[in-house]
C-alpha cells in the first residue's frame, strides 16, 4: 500500500489521545534512526513562520536543513521541507517503505495520522545539519516530543485546544513548557502568568532565555525597517534569529528576501489575502494589519471560539461569506450565521471574489478557497 493510501485510512482527529502509543513506537525504531538533536518549536501561534524563518536562513548560510510543519494547504508533501523544497513523492515513498519494514504492522496501523507522519519526517531528515520540528497542538504529550532536542523555541502561548491542554493559561503553558528537555528560548508572550510557569521550569533545572536578550535595541530597529512581511510576524523572526545568535551563526535580513510564507497574511493577488489563522490571537493580529474593511471568507471548526473571533474581526468586516469545507469538525453554517447576525455582521454564502477580500479561518478554509479559485 503506498504512502498516500496508507495515510488516507487514518483519521485526522481523535476525541481521545493514547499518550503511550507514539513513545512505544519510537522505542522500537530509535536505534535505527540517524537524526541530529532537533530544534523543537512549541506554542499556540507563530510556529510555522518561526520554523520557516529559521530553516530558510540556515539554508542560506550553507547548512543542510529539514523543517516539519503542519497542517498542509494543498498537498501533504508541504509538511516535510528539505533544503528548500517540499519532499518528493518518490522520497516520501522510500521513507514510508523503510518505516513499514521497521515497525510491526499492528503498530504502524495503530499510529495516528500525525504520529505516523512525524516518524516519516524524522527518517526523511536523517543526516541533515539542522532539523526543525513543530509540535502539533501540545507540548509535553505531543508526538514530536519523543525526539532528543537541541533547543526548544517557545512562540506566543494563548488559549486554544482547551479540551486537550487545560482551561487556564497556566495549565496550557505548563503542558507546553514541560516539553523542554534542557534549554529553550521563549518568544513574545501576552499573558503575565506565563512568567510564573517559566520560573517553575527554571527551578526544575531548565535553562530558559528570553529572545530579546540576544539583540541590542538598535539592531531590532534596523531589522524591523527591512522586514518585508506583516508586522505581526516580526517577533517570530526575532525568535528564530535568537537561536542563530545563541549558536554564533551569522545572518542577514536579506537572507529571507526570496522567502514565501504560504498562508501567513499572504497577498496572493492585488487586495486578496489568505491567512491560516484560526483563533482570537490570530484575529487580533489580522485586525491590526488590515488598513480597510474587507469581504471575509470564513469557516471554523466547532471547537473554536468563533463568536470571540468574529467580535474581534467585526470592525474590519464588510460582509462575512461562509465557504463550504468538507471536514467532520466544521461547525454548522446556520450556527455561525446566527452568531454573525447577533453581532450585527452581514452574512451570506461564498459565491465569488469581491475585493478587498481576506480568506481566514484555518488551513482547511484556505485550502477550499484555493481549490475553488483553481476551478473557477
Amino acid at each position: 500500500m503506498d504512502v498516500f493510501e496508507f495515510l488516507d485510512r487514518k483519521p485526522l482527529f481523535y476525541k481521545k489521545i493514547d499518550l503511550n502509543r507514539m513513545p512505544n513506537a519510537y522505542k522500537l525504531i530509535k536505534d535505527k534512526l540517524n537524526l541530529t538533536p532537533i530544534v523543537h518549536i512549541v506554542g499556540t501561534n507563530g510556529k510555522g513562520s518561526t520554523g520557516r524563518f529559521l530553516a530558510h536562513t540556515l539554508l542560506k548560510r550553507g547548512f543542510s536543513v529539514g523543517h516539519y510543519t503542519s497542517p498542509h494547504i494543498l498537498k501533504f508533501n508541504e509538511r516535510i521541507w528539505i533544503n528548500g523544497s517540499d519532499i518528493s513523492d518518490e522520497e516520501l515513498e522510500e521513507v514510508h517503505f523503510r518505516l513499514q519494514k521497521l515497525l510491526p504492522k499492528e503498530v504502524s496501523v495503530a499510529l495516528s495520522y500525525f504520529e505516523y507522519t512525524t516518524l516519516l519526517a524524522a527518517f526523511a531528515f536523517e543526516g541533515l545539519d539542522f532539523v526543525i520540528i513543530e509540535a502539533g497542538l501540545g507540548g509535553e504529550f505531543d508526538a514530536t516530543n519523543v525526539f532528543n532536542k537541541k533547543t526548544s523555541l517557545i512562540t506566543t502561548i494563548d488559549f486554544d485546544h482547551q479540551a486537550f491542554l487545560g482551561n487556564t493559561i497556566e495549565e496550557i503553558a505548563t503542558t507546553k513548557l514541560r516539553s523542554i528537555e534542557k534549554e529553550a528560548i521563549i518568544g513574545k508572550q501576552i499573558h503575565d502568568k506565563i512568567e510564573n510557569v517559566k520560573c517553575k521550569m527554571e527551578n526544575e533545572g531548565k535553562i530558559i532565555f528570553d529572545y530579546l536578550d540576544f539583540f541590542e535595541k538598535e539592531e531590532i530597529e534596523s531589522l524591523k525597517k527591512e522586514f518585508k512581511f506583516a508586522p505581526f510576524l516580526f517577533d517570530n523572526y526575532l525568535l528564530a534569529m535568537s537561536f542563530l545568535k545563541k549558536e554564533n551563526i551569522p545572518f542577514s535580513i536579506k537572507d529571507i528576501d526570496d522567502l514565501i510564507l504560504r498562508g501567513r497574511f499572504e497577498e496572493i493577488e492585488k487586495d486578496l489575502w489568505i491567512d491560516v489563522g484560526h483563533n482570537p490571537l490570530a484575529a487580533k493580529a489580522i485586525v491590526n494589519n488590515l488598513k480597510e474593511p474587507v469581504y471575509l471568507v470564513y469557516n471554523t471548526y466547532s471547537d473554536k471560539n468563533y463568536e470571540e473571533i468574529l467580535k474581534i474581526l467585526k470592525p474590519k468586516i464588510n460582509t462575512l461569506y461562509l465557504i463550504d469545507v468538507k471536514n467532520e469538525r466544521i461547525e454548522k453554517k446556520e450556527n455561525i450565521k446566527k452568531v454573525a447576525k447577533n453581532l450585527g455582521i452581514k452574512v451570506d454564502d461564498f459565491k465569488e471574489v469581491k475585493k478587498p477580500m481576506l480568506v481566514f479561518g484555518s488551513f482547511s478554509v484556505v485550502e477550499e478557497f484555493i481549490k475553488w479559485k483553481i476551478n473557477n
Side-chain angles (χ1 to χ4, degrees), residues 86-358:
D86 299 338
I87 192 170
S88 68
D89 290 351
E90 293 74 24
E91 290 172 299
L92 198 53
E93 204 59 62
E94 281 175 24
V95 289
H96 169 62
F97 180 71
R98 188 172 168 206
L99 198 49
Q100 289 290 303
K101 282 186 16 179
L102 290 173
L103 283 176
K105 185 178 180 182
E106 65 273 14
V107 175
S108 65
V109 168
L111 285 170
S112 74
Y113 184 99
F114 185 74
E115 289 163 348
Y116 190 79
T117 59
T118 298
L119 293 179
L120 284 178
F123 278 98
F125 293 154
E126 283 190 311
L128 297 175
D129 298 325
F130 287 94
V131 171
I132 300 154
I133 291 183
E134 296 168 24
L137 59 81
E140 180 183 12
F141 303 116
D142 195 79
T144 60
N145 201 42
V146 296
F147 306 116
N148 291 332
K149 304 179 196 75
K150 182 178 182 66
T151 305
S152 295
L153 302 183
I154 313 296
T155 67
T156 307
I157 296 171
D158 198 18
F159 291 98
D160 207 4
H161 302 293
Q162 284 96 314
F164 293 112
L165 303 178
N167 291 312
T168 68
I169 205 65
E170 292 97 328
E171 287 174 330
I172 294 169
T174 298
T175 302
K176 290 182 183 291
L177 266 60
R178 273 199 187 131
S179 65
I180 300 167
E181 187 175 333
K182 298 168 189 162
E183 65 173 32
I185 306 173
I186 192 163
K188 182 180 180 180
Q189 300 301 321
I190 58 172
H191 296 284
D192 293 339
K193 290 177 179 177
I194 289 172
E195 182 64 27
N196 301 333
V197 180
K198 173 178 170 275
C199 291
K200 186 180 173 186
M201 296 300 151
E202 288 174 324
N203 290 337
E204 292 176 7
K206 315 292 186 193
I207 299 166
I208 304 179
F209 304 97
D210 187 287
Y211 76 124
L212 292 178
D213 290 345
F214 293 91
F215 298 91
E216 298 293 335
K217 210 169 184 179
E218 296 77 18
E219 184 180 12
I220 291 173
E221 289 307 312
S222 173
L223 291 169
K224 191 182 281 187
K225 280 178 188 170
E226 294 191 63
F227 190 69
K228 69 166 191 171
F229 297 94
F232 68 83
L233 296 169
F234 183 65
D235 284 288
N236 301 340
Y237 175 73
L238 289 184
L239 175 58
M241 295 307 100
S242 68
F243 173 78
L244 298 186
K245 291 263 194 179
K246 190 182 75 64
E247 298 296 310
N248 295 311
I249 297 171
F251 67 90
S252 162
I253 189 81
K254 299 202 179 302
D255 292 336
I256 58 170
D257 273 356
D258 59 345
L259 173 62
I260 296 171
L261 280 180
R262 296 308 315 272
R264 272 71 180 188
F265 203 63
E266 180 188 0
E267 192 171 13
I268 59 172
E269 60 184 60
K270 176 75 172 151
D271 292 335
L272 175 58
W273 296 270
I274 56 172
D275 191 277
V276 295
H278 56 268
N279 53 33
L281 186 59
K284 286 172 187 169
I286 288 292
V287 160
N288 291 335
N289 278 271
L290 285 171
K291 295 182 174 67
E292 59 182 329
V294 294
Y295 296 99
L296 179 68
V297 179
Y298 182 71
N299 209 321
T300 180
Y301 297 132
S302 56
D303 62 339
K304 299 299 176 190
N305 187 353
Y306 56 89
E307 182 172 9
E308 177 65 18
I309 290 167
L310 292 176
K311 268 185 195 171
I312 294 165
L313 292 172
K314 181 184 173 182
K316 293 291 173 73
I317 298 176
N318 268 331
T319 303
L320 174 67
Y321 291 117
L322 292 176
I323 190 168
D324 290 320
V325 177
K326 298 175 188 71
N327 189 299
E328 63 185 39
R329 293 171 58 203
I330 285 289
E331 180 61 291
K332 292 176 181 172
K333 273 171 138 184
E334 53 266 32
N335 292 343
I336 304 172
K337 284 181 177 180
K338 186 177 177 183
V339 166
K341 286 172 181 173
N342 287 341
L343 290 171
I345 297 170
K346 279 173 62 181
V347 59
D348 204 348
D349 291 333
F350 172 70
K351 297 184 186 73
E352 61 181 331
V353 170
K354 283 188 177 181
K355 295 181 180 179
M357 177 166 270
L358 168 69

Side-chain angles (χ1 to χ4, degrees), residues 48-65:
S49 58
T50 300
R52 191 52 54 91
F53 283 138
L54 179 54
H56 190 87
T57 304
L58 283 167
L59 183 64
K60 287 287 187 176
R61 293 287 141 179
F63 297 99
S64 60
V65 57

